[in-house]
Amino acid sequence: MIVIEGCAIVTVDGDGTEYTDGHLVIDDGRIVAVGSDAARTADEPVQRIDGTGCLATPGLVNTHHHLYQWATRGLAQQENLFGWLTELYPLWAGLDADLVAATTGAGLGWLALSGCTTSTDHHYVHPTGGGDLMAAQVEAAGEVGLRFHPCRGSMDLGRSRGGLPPDHVVEDTDAALAGTEDAIDRFHDPADDAMVRIAVAPCSPFSVTTTLMTEAADLARRKGVRLHTHLAETVEEAEYCQRVHGCDPVEYAESLGWLGDNVWLAHAVHLDAAAVARLAATGTGVAHCPSSNARLGAGLAPVRDLLDAGVPVGLGVDGPASQEANHLGAELRQALYAARLRGGPAALAAREALSLATMGGARCLGRSGDIGSIEVGKLADIALWRLDGLGHAGIADPVAALVLGPPAPLELLLVGGRPVVARGELRTVDERELVRRAGRAQRTLMRRADR
Ligand SMILES: [Zn+2]
């Protein structure tokens, strides 16, 4: 049993319950009590944590990522999406299981340090002979200790058939489907306390055939897993859909069975009112990635419109090659800023930004019953942020401090009650070793590209 007391608590429950001086009790990986003042427990806790000066929030949920890109950061610095992809695809052709293990460890370790307790990944590059990439990811995530929803991605539309990626980085359609089904069979855990769940995730309209999209949707529904893809990210993608399919990206997705309450879409930047209404009517979720959208100059997603329509919206850092900071805690402020640049100062409140990164993400991943808020019975995925340092001094409202202030130091990060970060340091893995392995992966990939 762990007791945390003396901290502010923002539960993000349905009533918006907050405590200025509260306690949390965790037993057997779940939250068993939350309330004001000190905890009253019959048994003496194994660990009692003084949360004075801290804010407890639900652990943050990252809804879109490409962990392998940890090996190709800082490149194509002034390209739009298509130019950036065209420069990086040939590098990614050199990926293998060792590099994917190293980049997954680095990326998830960094996410943990930024307050994230659950992350997706979207791995869509599967080079021939690259080894068992999904197993490498699942193993590396287990070492870091985050809850992990890897999406088995795929591409089968190479340049010779009108797609954007070079032919040598795409898979055969049947191989992509077989690899996806295999990942579900081996790693998907439907249990409500699952540490690993698989989603089905063909990459994007300009890198995937309609056959793969349709059959992937059938596979996901047959297996009872979720669907994820990139959609409506850039103007160029919208033009591609008009030219090739004669409709906008959301109409295209709907025609393929790709809208629904088991689907969440990355980006959804370029949407008209009809597209927003279709996402809302179908219960389709959105992974909002404001820093990546800014880095690639893709645009400002209509987050206010999506929320007003009732669309589940989560936050995503997106791959570390298209937004090198990759700090999910800092993405709270970026989301607020992006919404306000588009819609004015009332477009997103600080508490709404926190809600996107917690319950919004949980809804996107189909886990709103298990994670995303601090409520009795839910899994003990908790971030405890230090707000008593100079960077947050003079801000009385802890949520304003967390969202509007600089990234807050992380006092403690619990995943299922297990400490993954304590006093700003990873407890499950050696951070210096993650740095060494990520550096080695980057150098190996560059060497392979030079050959
Ligand atoms: Zn992406």
Side-chain angles (χ1 to χ4, degrees):
M1 185 191 289
I2 302 171
V3 170
I4 306 172
E5 51 197 355
C7 54
I9 301 173
V10 175
T11 66
V12 198
D13 68 6
D15 299 325
T17 307
E18 299 183 8
Y19 304 97
T20 50
D21 179 1
H23 69 270
L24 268 169
V25 182
I26 293 154
D27 197 13
D28 200 19
R30 291 188 182 268
I31 299 161
V32 296
V34 53
S36 56
D37 304 321
R40 285 171 296 276
T41 54
D43 302 322
E44 187 53 28
V46 172
Q47 196 181 3
R48 189 178 289 274
I49 293 161
D50 179 5
T52 305
C54 295
L55 166 67
T57 69
L60 307 185
V61 179
N62 179 42
T63 58
H64 188 62
H65 211 327
H66 310 286
L67 290 158
Y68 71 89
Q69 292 176 12
W70 207 263
T72 58
R73 305 168 80 199
L75 303 174
Q77 293 178 19
Q78 287 182 263
E79 296 288 344
N80 70 8
L81 176 67
F82 283 6
W84 177 88
L85 282 169
T86 301
E87 191 167 326
L88 296 185
Y89 282 136
L91 303 180
W92 299 338
L95 284 169
D96 64 22
D98 284 346
L99 302 189
V100 165
T103 51
T104 300
L108 292 181
W110 181 242
L111 271 178
L113 290 167
S114 77
C116 173
T117 49
T118 297
S119 183
T120 53
D121 189 56
H122 185 183
H123 192 101
Y124 54 81
V125 186
H126 295 269
T128 309
D132 194 342
L133 306 189
M134 296 301 288
Q137 285 215 293
V138 168
E139 187 179 341
E143 287 170 6
V144 177
L146 292 197
R147 230 173 272 289
F148 191 40
H149 284 222
C151 307
R152 206 299 187 174
S154 49
M155 303 191 291
D156 71 338
L157 185 63
R159 200 165 295 155
S160 66
R161 297 166 68 200
L164 187 72
D167 289 352
H168 69 285
V169 301
V170 307
E171 291 176 279
D172 171 75
T173 308
D174 290 339
L177 287 164
T180 307
E181 183 159 3
D182 178 61
I184 299 166
D185 290 343
R186 285 195 294 158
F187 302 116
H188 183 73
D189 180 1
D192 60 5
D193 62 350
M195 291 300 289
V196 178
R197 285 202 187 160
I198 303 292
V200 173
C203 186
S204 63
F206 49 84
S207 62
V208 177
T209 61
T210 54
T211 305
L212 179 52
M213 287 298 282
T214 312
E215 295 194 9
D218 290 344
L219 171 65
R221 292 193 171 98
R222 180 157 55 81
K223 293 282 188 182
V225 304
R226 299 180 81 75
L227 285 161
H228 183 51
T229 192
H230 295 97
L231 203 80
E233 181 173 359
T234 66
V235 170
E236 290 79 12
E237 179 202 320
E239 288 168 355
Y240 176 92
C241 284
Q242 263 321 327
R243 190 172 70 247
V244 175
H245 303 296
C247 59
D248 73 28
V250 169
E251 290 167 337
Y252 175 57
E254 184 154 36
S255 75
L256 302 173
W258 265 81
L259 297 187
D261 62 6
N262 62 335
V263 181
W264 87 105
L265 305 169
H267 302 300
V269 173
H270 298 280
L271 305 176
D272 61 15
V276 171
R278 289 310 299 149
L279 296 185
T282 54
T284 308
V286 166
H288 175 41
C289 306
S291 288
S292 173
N293 297 155
R295 158 59 152 102
L296 296 173
L300 296 163
V303 168
R304 182 73 265 156
D305 299 343
L306 290 165
L307 293 175
D308 288 345
V311 174
V313 180
L315 286 190
V317 293
D318 203 359
S322 68
Q323 88 99 334
E324 280 76 356
N326 244 236
H327 191 289
L328 189 55
E331 212 63 8
L332 298 171
R333 176 156 53 104
Q334 187 69 20
L336 180 139
Y337 281 4
R340 293 183 182 192
L341 285 168
R342 181 180 168 112
L348 198 72
R351 280 167 174 74
E352 288 181 300
L354 179 60
S355 175
L356 297 187
T358 51
M359 274 310 286
R363 290 177 70 196
C364 284
L365 302 190
R367 301 205 66 173
S368 56
D370 314 322
I371 60 173
S373 62
I374 297 178
E375 295 182 75
V376 170
K378 281 201 167 182
L379 295 166
D381 292 7
I382 310 283
L384 189 66
W385 311 87
R386 276 233 89 84
L387 296 176
D388 56 359
L390 184 55
H392 302 92
I395 309 176
D397 175 2
V399 180
L402 179 70
V403 176
L404 300 176
L410 201 55
E411 177 65 20
L412 184 68
L413 188 80
L414 299 177
V415 178
R418 179 190 185 205
V420 173
V421 177
R423 289 184 202 88
E425 290 186 5
L426 287 166
R427 288 303 158 108
T428 48
V429 281
D430 177 358
E431 183 176 347
R432 292 311 307 171
E433 182 59 21
L434 297 183
V435 174
R436 275 191 290 276
R437 292 178 67 199
R440 242 188 346 252
Q442 186 267 340
R443 291 188 296 276
T444 302
L445 207 53
M446 294 306 141
R447 250 195 331 271
R448 286 178 185 169
D450 285 342
R451 272 198 226 121

